[in-house]
């Protein structure tokens, strides 16, 4: 089953966690320290390669049908499906910033956590 790294509103306790359904939580973890982390238009987080942030998140095992029919259609248009490196060196599917997305974004790499950003804003 594919693994999906979540770092925003679909994490446990988040407004969109219902999109995860009954998918099992595999790990609370971080990415490898090679990303920049943004708040896009203040509404959702986005990962981008090329920094040194180890971003907090959760990994779930999800079926392809659940990804295709439930989770991915609920994602904002500024994100696209990609692969990230996790702290343990393994890879996972994740939503990453679309390179050509024009929405304003704030770099929140120093926090490396959507929950910390939302608590601070």
């Amino acid at each position: 089953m594919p693994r999906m790294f979540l770092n925003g509103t679909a994490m446990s306790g988040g407004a969109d966690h219902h999109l995860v359904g009954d998918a099992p939580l595999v790990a609370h973890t971080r990415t490898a320290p090679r990303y920049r982390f943004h708040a896009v238009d203040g509404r959702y987080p986005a990962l981008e390669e090329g920094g040194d942030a180890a971003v907090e998140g959760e990994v779930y095992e999800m079926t392809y049908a659940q990804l295709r029919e439930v989770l991915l259609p609920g994602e904002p248009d500024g994100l696209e499906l990609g692969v990230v490196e996790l702290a343990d060196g393994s890879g996972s599917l994740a939503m990453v910033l679309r390179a050509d997305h024009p929405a304003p974004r704030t770099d929140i790499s120093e926090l490396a956590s959507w929950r910390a950003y939302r608590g601070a804003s």
Side-chain angles (χ1 to χ4, degrees):
M1 233 186 290
R3 292 186 172 194
M4 184 72 180
F5 177 78
L6 303 174
N7 58 43
T9 62
M11 288 192 301
S12 58
D16 293 323
H17 186 66
H18 65 279
L19 299 174
V20 174
D22 61 357
L25 174 66
V26 175
H28 292 276
T29 189
R30 292 184 171 274
T31 64
R34 55 183 286 187
Y35 297 93
R36 292 176 62 200
F37 197 47
H38 304 281
V40 179
D41 204 20
R43 297 182 305 118
Y44 59 89
L47 285 167
E48 178 181 38
E49 279 200 58
D52 59 6
V55 178
E56 171 187 282
E58 300 171 346
V59 177
Y60 290 86
E61 281 190 343
M62 303 182 87
T63 66
Y64 287 109
Q66 187 175 11
L67 283 169
R68 181 182 60 246
E69 297 165 15
V70 181
L71 185 68
L72 296 180
E75 292 291 341
D77 66 350
L79 300 178
E80 63 187 6
L81 190 60
V83 176
V84 297
E85 181 183 356
L86 300 177
D88 66 2
S90 66
S92 177
L93 295 173
M95 299 308 293
V96 298
L97 183 65
R98 248 187 35 224
D100 61 347
H101 189 61
R105 54 186 179 245
T106 303
D107 191 314
I108 59 171
S109 298
E110 185 174 298
L111 295 172
S113 165
W114 184 246
R115 289 177 176 146
Y117 170 73
R118 296 303 292 173
S121 59

